[in-house]
Amino acid sequence: MCDRELPLTLLVLIFISTSETCTSRTNITAVEGEPFYLKYCLFSPARENETTTIRWYKSSESHGRVELNPSSSPRITLHDYVLEFWPAELDDRGSYIFQMGNDTQEWKLSVIGRNKHSCFTKKQVISRRVEVKKSLEITCNNSYYQKLVNRTSLYKNCKKLSENSANPLLRKNAEFEDQGYYSCVFSLLHNGKPFNITKTFNITIVKVHSTVNPVLLGPKLNHVEVELGKSVQLNCSALLNEKDLVYWNFWKGNGTDPNVHEEKGVKIRTSEGKWRASTILRIENISENNLHFLYNCTVVSEGGTDTKSFILLKKADKADIPGHVFTRGMIIAILISVAGVCLVIVCVTYRVDLVLFYRHLMGRDETLTGNKYQNAGISYLMLS
Ligand SMILES: *[C@@H]1O[C@H](CO)[C@@H](O)[C@H](O)[C@H]1NC(C)=O
Ligand SMILES: *[C@@H]1O[C@H](CO)[C@@H](O)[C@H](O)[C@H]1NC(C)=O
Ligand SMILES: *[C@@H]1O[C@H](CO)[C@@H](O)[C@H](O)[C@H]1NC(C)=O
Ligand SMILES: *[C@@H]1O[C@H](CO)[C@@H](O)[C@H](O)[C@H]1NC(C)=O
Ligand SMILES: *[C@@H]1O[C@H](CO)[C@@H](O)[C@H](O)[C@H]1NC(C)=O
Ligand SMILES: *[C@@H]1O[C@H](CO)[C@@H](O)[C@H](O)[C@H]1NC(C)=O
């Protein structure tokens, strides 16, 4: 190849242009059907000289490590530091290794399938947040394929907005209805074949940052049932401003309790652009001292403060003595009812025998005159 004779200055130039668009991440994702490339990041060009040869390998579980050459695949082309896919296909996934002398670089490539029903792939979006009334600018740039790109179109939620105009393709003051997916579609020709490359921005329009009155979430007073000797975590969450503070107030008159720990809080930005913070108070090896004490969580901001309290109660406390009596009473009442029902069933089942037995006890004289089944019938009526 001609660059075997490259002077050092040219190598340096290559280094500069290489480092601009080289593929420095290790895990990369390509989209099925789109042109794609891997480019080695030249870290020390001056150390290399013309005699070093460059090799590319693909390593996959099914085929092991295979050296790539120009005849490996009609879709894959090798240009020294760059490996190009025209286009990438699902079976291109695997590890790719660049080797030049002792220098190697390896990438793990995954290829995601194209969604036939959408003009973009949801897994491959760049999320951006723009404040309402601020400038919303969509610029479609593709530095690597720039020279080949014939036409650039901009789509919003897969509806065409504009085509081939100068960058940026969109510039306006953001309104809430501007929220959506903006796709830059670069159309290009390679060896006479047309290809598209899509780059999609997920634009979210958020309210202008304004101060809110911080609020603690949940009730102001919380009773938490605990068992002595166990531990408990109290979670305090607030909606607040970025600079507001949430903290626990658990000092007792006589100093700190070694079993009470305030954990590092977290603060996250919600999708509406607000802030939500939560902080945990961990109480270990709960003792009587921890019960019936107000553990307060407070949020402070320029606008004011808000406090909520937690009280620990012993679990047994709730089911105390009257409760026990009540439960016992219920059990006895149920047992008596069951016994009563059983007695009735027995009586009904053995009614004839019972009447005969009764008559047997109360005197035989009556039986001498009457028919015992007739009398039994009368008793049956009386019984029921
Ligand atoms: C190129 O590298 C080889 C060893 O890797 C060395 O012997 C040779 O002198 C180098 N040439 C230049 C021009 O630096
Ligand atoms: C786009 O952004 C919104 C808001 O940040 C988010 O809820 C949504 O999941 C994002 N969509 C994708 C496909 O990442
Ligand atoms: C790309 O541009 C060339 C000339 O500049 C033109 O002949 C060709 O039709 C264009 N291709 C597409 C897909 O627009
Ligand atoms: C590229 O996108 C254009 C619309 O911008 C579409 O008409 C064309 O079929 C696409 N070509 C390929 C190869 O996907
Ligand atoms: C505390 O509560 C908030 C909101 O209810 C929740 O987002 C957070 O994950 C909770 N933290 C823990 C450690 O449970
Ligand atoms: C917790 O808050 C309550 C009510 O706001 C207050 O009466 C109590 O003194 C506070 N306790 C501590 C330890 O700050």
Side-chain angles (χ1 to χ4, degrees):
M1 285 208 153
C2 58
D3 56 58
R4 295 242 161 131
E5 315 278 319
L6 275 181
L8 191 66
T9 44
L10 248 183
L11 277 165
V12 170
L13 279 179
I14 285 176
F15 167 63
I16 291 166
S17 65
T18 308
S19 53
E20 271 177 358
T21 52
C22 76
T23 318
S24 50
R25 281 162 302 135
T26 312
N27 289 305
I28 358 214
T29 308
V31 178
E32 176 194 12
E34 291 197 350
F36 179 76
Y37 70 93
L38 291 171
K39 188 165 184 176
Y40 168 64
C41 297
L42 258 175
F43 294 114
S44 48
R47 226 177 51 215
E48 307 303 333
N49 68 26
E50 64 271 21
T51 57
T52 46
T53 51
I54 288 170
R55 290 177 200 281
W56 283 91
Y57 299 92
K58 177 182 179 180
S59 151
S60 61
E61 271 179 30
S62 47
H63 295 90
R65 188 168 167 146
V66 182
E67 182 170 356
L68 298 172
N69 57 55
S71 59
S72 297
S73 159
R75 290 185 295 105
I76 296 177
T77 58
L78 297 110
H79 305 279
D80 297 337
Y81 302 109
V82 188
L83 185 68
E84 288 181 347
F85 299 78
W86 292 98
E89 293 297 351
L90 289 178
D91 54 355
D92 290 328
R93 34 175 89 120
S95 293
Y96 289 83
I97 299 123
F98 170 92
Q99 193 180 56
M100 182 171 66
N102 290 334
D103 282 349
T104 60
Q105 190 178 351
E106 183 169 346
W107 301 268
K108 277 210 172 55
L109 177 67
S110 42
V111 182
I112 47 178
R114 172 191 291 281
N115 181 351
K116 303 271 183 313
H117 306 291
S118 178
C119 65
F120 66 94
T121 311
K122 286 219 163 167
K123 286 183 196 147
Q124 202 72 326
V125 300
I126 303 159
S127 288
R128 274 205 204 148
R129 207 184 287 274
V130 179
E131 281 183 7
V132 69
K133 301 277 190 323
K134 296 274 169 69
S135 161
L136 167 64
E137 218 178 83
I138 310 272
T139 309
C140 294
N141 275 333
N142 191 315
S143 52
Y144 184 78
Y145 295 100
Q146 202 172 18
K147 288 197 190 87
L148 300 171
V149 171
N150 225 347
R151 180 161 42 96
T152 305
S153 316
L154 179 66
Y155 292 78
K156 180 188 176 188
N157 298 331
C158 295
K159 286 206 185 71
K160 193 177 244 173
L161 285 186
S162 60
E163 185 182 309
N164 227 9
S165 42
N167 260 324
L169 287 190
L170 183 79
R171 179 191 273 155
K172 70 191 292 285
N173 286 337
E175 299 297 336
F176 284 109
E177 49 272 28
D178 292 329
Q179 181 154 318
Y181 296 98
Y182 290 82
S183 307
C184 299
V185 178
F186 305 96
S187 302
L188 47 95
L189 284 174
H190 177 256
N191 289 346
K193 267 180 77 183
F195 292 95
N196 286 339
I197 298 172
T198 308
K199 180 174 171 186
T200 301
F201 301 96
N202 177 12
I203 304 285
T204 309
I205 311 293
V206 295
K207 283 206 188 97
V208 184
H209 176 72
S210 57
T211 53
V212 296
N213 281 337
V215 279
L216 292 163
L217 305 175
K220 287 277 166 279
L221 184 61
N222 300 270
H223 294 276
V224 182
E225 286 195 355
V226 293
E227 284 175 47
L228 293 184
K230 296 275 172 64
S231 60
V232 71
Q233 287 196 351
L234 306 178
N235 183 354
C236 177
S237 303
L239 283 177
L240 35 53
N241 303 298
E242 191 181 355
K243 292 192 179 115
D244 296 348
L245 285 177
V246 187
Y247 61 90
W248 286 95
N249 196 344
F250 52 89
W251 303 97
K252 291 201 168 188
N254 52 0
T256 57
D257 183 338
N259 291 335
V260 182
H261 308 277
E262 182 171 9
E263 296 195 344
K264 200 167 176 289
V266 289
K267 198 181 267 186
I268 53 162
R269 200 169 182 162
T270 65
S271 53
E272 303 98 60
K274 290 178 183 163
W275 290 90
R276 179 197 281 265
S278 57
T279 171
I280 301 283
L281 189 72
R282 196 157 39 84
I283 304 169
E284 288 168 343
N285 192 14
I286 296 166
S287 70
E288 295 278 351
N289 286 336
N290 303 116
L291 304 177
H292 308 292
F293 174 78
L294 284 175
Y295 289 96
N296 290 351
C297 170
T298 302
V299 58
V300 282
S301 79
E302 286 174 5
T305 65
D306 190 18
T307 295
K308 75 187 262 186
S309 310
F310 291 79
I311 296 181
L312 304 190
L313 299 174
K314 215 196 298 182
K315 218 169 212 163
D317 269 20
K318 218 181 156 195
D320 51 11
I321 298 149
H324 272 299
V325 171
F326 177 75
T327 317
R328 243 177 250 163
M330 282 297 286
I331 290 172
I332 290 169
I334 289 169
L335 282 178
I336 289 173
S337 319
V338 168
V341 169
C342 289
L343 195 64
V344 169
I345 291 172
V346 167
C347 290
V348 169
T349 313
Y350 298 102
R351 58 186 182 260
V352 174
D353 303 76
L354 279 172
V355 168
L356 290 177
F357 179 64
Y358 171 78
R359 289 182 50 157
H360 176 75
L361 279 184
M362 296 316 285
R364 286 140 195 272
D365 298 346
E366 290 169 44
T367 60
L368 293 175
T369 52
N371 177 320
K372 66 177 172 184
Y373 284 102
Q374 191 188 339
N375 287 327
I378 292 162
S379 303
Y380 165 64
L381 284 177
M382 283 160 66
L383 266 171
S384 59

